[in-house]
Amino acid sequence: MKILAIECTHQVACVAVKNGSEVVERISTEWQKTAETIVPLVIETMTAAGVGASELDGVAVSSGPGSFTALRIGMSAAKGIAFGAGRPLVTVPTMPAIAASALARTGSPHIVTVIPSRPGEYFYSIYRREGGDGMPTELESARCQGSELAGHLEKLAGNFIVVGRSVADLIAQDSALASCCVEASFFTASSLLDYAEKALSKGVGAVLADVGPDYRQQFVSGQQKQ
């Protein structure tokens, strides 16, 4: 299959293109400039992969939660490309996608994914590694202060790892999490490809008019942008 994947939920803007057995990926660390960089990044990656928009079997995008602004930009770019090329769009929920990408890096029975929310807060989801379609099984999903996360995880009796970006900030709030935190630098746009390929093989594609980012919170005027 030939698939374009876009991931820009937090800290990086990343694009991957699958062309048969080969995957080409490009990453921009200018996360605050996602609006300016995402389209050139898509063009650069597709050119390097030798794939034109009309050749794509589908487009995949991480649907969040994540940065309010960057998530909206990534979703808009994916929808625009899918619409223009007349190709299906697959939305990949970010939390289980991070957990799935961590499976090969740990033998822990539970994976806890975290994504920063408002300052000092985190979205978190608890997964049991066994699941269907290559995705772990979600046990719980909520939002809390970073200093409160360890309390929510006590029921797992230490049988877990916490995976996310900027985990150093989380550890700064609760040093007890230091031994179980893993930086999710391995989670990129290419992490969406397996899920997307399975969905496209089943004929699954979103209705573009119904697609929207998973913000999981309401925008509050006057608060610092994420």
Side-chain angles (χ1 to χ4, degrees):
M1 278 193 175
K2 297 181 179 181
I3 304 170
L4 166 68
I6 298 174
E7 204 295 304
C8 52
T9 54
H10 182 60
Q11 284 196 327
V12 298
C14 185
V15 175
V17 175
K18 178 178 175 63
N19 186 358
S21 60
E22 297 184 0
V23 175
V24 175
E25 187 170 64
R26 297 288 185 269
I27 298 175
S28 171
T29 56
E30 295 185 288
W31 179 60
Q32 300 295 344
K33 297 182 179 179
T34 301
E36 296 91 335
T37 61
I38 192 64
V39 172
L41 201 63
V42 168
I43 294 172
E44 177 187 346
T45 311
M46 293 187 69
T47 299
V51 175
S54 62
E55 301 175 87
L56 291 171
D57 293 293
V59 178
V61 63
S62 52
S63 59
S67 158
F68 184 93
T69 301
L71 184 57
R72 181 180 60 199
I73 293 167
M75 184 70 71
S76 296
K79 290 176 69 173
I81 294 167
F83 177 79
R87 294 296 184 264
L89 176 65
V90 176
T91 56
V92 184
T94 306
M95 296 294 239
I98 293 176
S101 67
L103 289 176
R105 294 169 171 82
T106 178
S108 177
H110 297 99
I111 298 171
V112 182
T113 56
V114 292
I115 292 179
S117 175
R118 297 189 178 103
E121 290 184 343
Y122 288 82
F123 299 111
Y124 75 89
S125 292
I126 301 173
Y127 294 93
R128 185 173 62 243
R129 64 181 300 121
E130 297 82 5
D133 294 327
M135 302 293 273
T137 301
E138 182 179 302
L139 302 179
E140 178 180 328
S141 187
R143 186 177 71 195
C144 71
Q145 292 288 327
S147 58
E148 299 172 350
L149 181 60
H152 291 280
L153 303 181
E154 286 182 350
K155 55 183 169 289
L156 301 180
N159 296 313
F160 66 89
I161 62 166
V162 177
V163 183
R165 294 202 178 105
S166 298
V167 291
D169 296 336
L170 178 60
I171 293 170
Q173 294 188 60
D174 188 347
S175 59
L177 295 172
S179 63
C180 58
C181 281
V182 177
E183 183 68 29
S185 56
F186 51 81
F187 177 68
T188 61
S190 61
S191 304
L192 311 179
L193 292 171
D194 286 346
Y195 181 92
E197 185 165 9
K198 290 174 182 176
L200 291 168
S201 296
K202 296 177 181 178
V204 176
V207 177
L208 295 183
D210 296 336
V211 172
D214 178 14
Y215 293 128
R216 296 200 189 183
Q217 65 185 37
Q218 297 296 318
F219 175 74
V220 178
S221 179
Q223 285 199 350
Q224 182 180 356
K225 289 184 178 180
Q226 300 169 47

